[in-house]
Amino acid sequence: LPAYAYTNHKNFSKWGYKKVFYQHEVGDLMADRVKDFEITNATQKPPFPPPYTVFLSGSRPLHFDGLFPYWMETIKEIQKSNPDFKAVLPISPFIKDERLDTLKTTLPNNVILTRIPSLNCISHADLTITIPGSNNSEIVYLKRHFIVFLPTQYPKLIILDGLAGHIGKLPLIGTLIKMGIIAILKKTMTYYSLPNQLAKDSIIPEYIGHISPKEAAEIIQTHLNLKT
């Protein structure tokens, strides 16, 4: 199948794609999506009884396989001090039902896996936990509180643009190359979340580095004013 891309990077390589849609040419699709959502869901009730926290595990299976177990361990750590803590995980349509059926048998208490679109869940959440990506802009447009994690001990969570992204997919050597690129980015990049990059300021809390589930849990509890 022909591949298409949408990007906010003006220098994004067209190599491997039939067509690349650039944000500066076609407009901000994240803003358009949120605008349409707010028009059609203006009177919508919360999909689940609040309070709850949303954890986004990525739309791509590669992201999901790395993030889902990490979030589960983080949630377990939070529930050691806050047993009533409720987590909602909107699941991408790219994750197969068979995979979910297996995961549901090992979930911590008060964890909800749902096919309800993520914007519906985020719009009523106390806090959303995510990684850098297009959803960062969508949550800003929704005017909801969120924080960004990038646990660099999981190279699969890093999806690079252009040629570097294709090289990073190579078996074995691709992971090593990606880890080298990550080390360089950590020294050269100031901001990872798109809203922070555009603002050139830390308007969204970012936590980048080797972050254990226990450390992630402590950060989340602090943002929610929960017992640690």
Side-chain angles (χ1 to χ4, degrees), residues 31-118:
D32 291 344
R33 181 177 183 232
V34 171
K35 183 178 180 180
D36 290 342
F37 168 79
E38 291 179 330
I39 291 172
T40 57
N41 294 271
T43 60
Q44 182 203 41
K45 295 181 179 179
F48 306 101
Y52 62 82
T53 298
V54 167
F55 289 77
L56 298 180
S57 299
S59 59
R60 314 180 196 199
L62 192 65
H63 275 164
F64 185 85
D65 289 341
L67 266 180
F68 186 86
Y70 179 76
W71 288 152
M72 291 303 103
E73 291 303 313
T74 299
I75 291 166
K76 289 178 183 177
E77 290 291 338
I78 295 173
Q79 290 181 342
K80 288 180 181 179
S81 302
N82 302 272
D84 294 330
F85 178 78
K86 185 191 299 182
V88 172
L89 283 82
I91 305 298
S92 160
F94 299 112
I95 308 302
K96 295 182 179 180
D97 289 338
E98 294 80 8
R99 179 92 169 93
L100 286 188
D101 291 340
T102 302
L103 294 173
K104 287 178 180 177
T105 62
T106 58
L107 291 179
N109 293 329
N110 293 327
V111 173
I112 301 170
L113 306 187
T114 179
R115 293 289 191 183
I116 294 174
S118 59

Side-chain angles (χ1 to χ4, degrees), residues 62-63 131 150-152 154-160 178 181-182 185:
L62 192 65
H63 275 164
I131 61 174
L150 188 56
T152 53
Y154 302 107
K156 288 183 178 180
L157 301 184
I158 314 294
I159 293 183
L160 302 168
K178 185 181 285 189
I181 294 173
I182 291 170
L185 290 177

Side-chain angles (χ1 to χ4, degrees), residues 23-36:
Q23 181 176 318
H24 68 280
E25 295 176 348
V26 302
D28 190 335
L29 299 189
M30 288 84 80
D32 291 344
R33 181 177 183 232
V34 171
K35 183 178 180 180
D36 290 342

